[in-house]
């Protein structure tokens, strides 16, 4: 059981010597999600030692090239790697033409299922989208695990529950006279939010609310706020404030403008506004573990 964010690229429009175009793999118990595979993502997966065979969903926030031009290569690699399970591709309906063109460049043979979306809401079990405020149609994603319950071995033993009776308890909520609630405690599902190119907006706030991990663009430093507003991007301070308002536990900053060689000032600006959130400055090929579960 692995739940981890693998950072494949952290550049914005122009890659640098040390920062590839976007790409983020959320490893989730063998049913992984790939977000915004920009140019070079196939190679970055190889460098990260991350297999394509676990990818079940690919999510595009929008169809600007730095967020999607690596899609044909990733799909072709999945065919080469013998992926047989269905792969679901989510993207804004307004980008239908670009999305289909990119898919058309890929090697055929993958069971690829297209899911364009145009409004906020659930687009799959556990996967929700919210509109962002960018120069083209853009959506952020929120991946949520259902709340559940954690069994307590001591209570199970005291109740005489063991072997097949444990499975019955989990399936039906009862084993004989023993209820699931008698031998367990609530377990809050984990939540991951992905907010890419956007100005501050209600959609970003909805995605970030109570997230265990927030992956968020911080393209500009605070002193370049006018540029950020012009291009509809976030500053580092705005990214931190988004995390604070949403009571986020870990915020991962990415999508940095190539004008900044030293990213530490951006991290400092985010930390100044992030409240209790842990701030992580993403670098290519980093791995960020999800925080331990919090109490419900």
């Amino acid at each position: 059981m692995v739940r981890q964010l693998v950072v494949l690229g952290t550049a914005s429009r122009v890659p640098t010597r040390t920062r590839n175009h976007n790409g983020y793999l959320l490893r989730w118990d063998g049913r992984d999600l790939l977000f915004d595979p920009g140019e070079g993502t196939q190679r970055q997966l190889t460098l990260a030692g991350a297999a394509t065979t676990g990818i079940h969903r690919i999510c595009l926030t929008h169809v600007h090239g730095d967020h999607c031009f690596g899609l044909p290569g990733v799909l072709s690699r999945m065919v080469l790697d013998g992926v047989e399970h269905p792969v679901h591709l989510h993207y804004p309906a307004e980008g239908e033409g670009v999305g289909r063109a990119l898919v058309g460049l890929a090697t055929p043979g993958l069971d690829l299922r297209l899911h364009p979306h145009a409004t906020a809401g659930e687009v799959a079990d556990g996967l929700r989208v919210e509109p962002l405020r960018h120069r083209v149609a853009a959506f952020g994603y929120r991946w949520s695990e259902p709340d559940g319950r954690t069994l307590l071995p001591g209570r199970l033993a005291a109740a005489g529950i063991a072997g097949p009776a444990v499975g019955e308890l989990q399936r039906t909520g009862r084993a004989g006279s023993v209820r699931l609630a008698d031998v367990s405690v609530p377990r809050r599902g984990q939540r991951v939010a992905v907010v890419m190119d956007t100005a501050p907006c209600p959609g970003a706030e909805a995605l970030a609310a109570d997230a265990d991990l927030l992956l968020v663009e911080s393209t500009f430093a605070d002193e370049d706020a006018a540029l950020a507003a012009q291009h509809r991007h976030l500053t580092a301070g705005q990214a931190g404030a988004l995390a604070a308002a949403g009571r986020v536990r870990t915020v991962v900053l990415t999508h940095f403008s190539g004008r900044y060689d030293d990213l530490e000032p951006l991290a400092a600006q985010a930390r100044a506004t992030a409240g209790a959130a842990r701030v992580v400055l993403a670098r290519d090929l980093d791995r960020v573990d999800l925080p331990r579960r919090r109490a419900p």
Side-chain angles (χ1 to χ4, degrees):
M1 302 278 283
V2 177
R3 295 187 177 182
Q4 182 184 68
L5 176 69
V6 182
V7 179
L8 302 171
T10 58
S12 54
R13 181 167 57 180
V14 179
T16 73
R17 291 178 180 271
T18 58
R19 301 199 288 269
N20 197 74
H21 272 157
N22 292 279
Y24 312 95
L25 180 69
L26 179 60
R27 300 182 66 199
W28 194 273
D29 302 342
R31 299 183 66 85
D32 304 342
L33 296 88
L34 177 65
F35 295 93
D36 282 4
E39 186 179 348
T41 294
Q42 180 186 177
R43 180 173 182 271
Q44 295 296 95
L45 284 165
T46 299
L47 290 175
T52 68
T53 50
I55 298 173
H56 283 68
R57 297 190 184 276
I58 301 175
C59 304
L60 309 182
T61 59
H62 61 295
V63 295
H64 279 163
D66 55 321
H67 294 260
C68 65
F69 279 1
L71 179 63
V74 170
L75 297 178
S76 297
R77 178 61 180 271
M78 296 180 80
V79 173
L80 183 63
D81 289 345
V83 171
E84 296 182 352
H85 58 255
V87 177
H88 301 270
L89 176 63
H90 303 273
Y91 58 94
E94 189 174 297
E96 178 82 11
V98 174
R100 287 190 175 274
L102 292 171
V103 169
L105 293 172
T107 303
L110 192 66
D111 183 1
L112 184 66
R113 305 183 184 185
L114 306 184
H115 303 278
H117 47 78
T119 58
E122 296 284 334
V123 293
D125 288 344
L127 187 65
R128 181 176 183 83
V129 300
E130 291 284 347
L132 301 177
R133 184 168 171 259
H134 195 42
R135 302 189 308 279
V136 298
F139 286 81
Y141 291 87
R142 182 180 173 94
W143 177 246
S144 300
E145 176 188 36
D147 294 338
R149 301 192 69 87
T150 297
L151 295 173
L152 301 176
R155 291 190 190 178
L156 286 172
I161 303 296
V166 175
E168 179 185 352
L169 186 69
Q170 292 175 311
R171 288 192 307 274
T172 68
R174 181 181 290 274
S177 62
V178 178
R179 300 172 305 162
L180 179 61
D182 298 331
V183 292
S184 66
V185 293
R187 182 187 70 233
R188 182 182 182 277
Q190 291 183 307
R191 304 166 189 178
V192 176
V194 176
V195 174
M196 285 293 131
D197 301 17
T198 186
C201 66
E205 295 168 1
L207 293 164
D210 291 318
D212 294 289
L213 187 147
L214 168 65
L215 174 68
V216 60
E217 68 122 319
S218 51
T219 308
F220 292 100
D222 289 353
E223 54 268 29
D224 292 321
L227 273 177
Q230 177 185 343
H231 295 286
R232 294 192 176 181
H233 280 289
L234 296 177
T235 68
Q238 288 171 332
L242 178 65
R247 301 175 300 282
V248 170
R249 299 176 68 198
T250 295
V251 55
V252 181
L253 308 179
T254 188
H255 196 274
F256 308 113
S257 169
R259 61 176 34 83
Y260 309 117
D261 292 324
D262 181 9
L263 298 177
E264 290 300 331
L266 276 71
Q269 291 170 353
R271 291 188 180 106
T273 60
R278 172 191 175 217
V279 175
V280 176
L281 184 68
R283 300 189 187 278
D284 287 27
L285 308 183
D286 276 356
R287 293 172 179 261
V288 182
D289 292 328
L290 264 68
R292 294 177 64 86
R293 297 181 186 278
R294 62 173 139 192

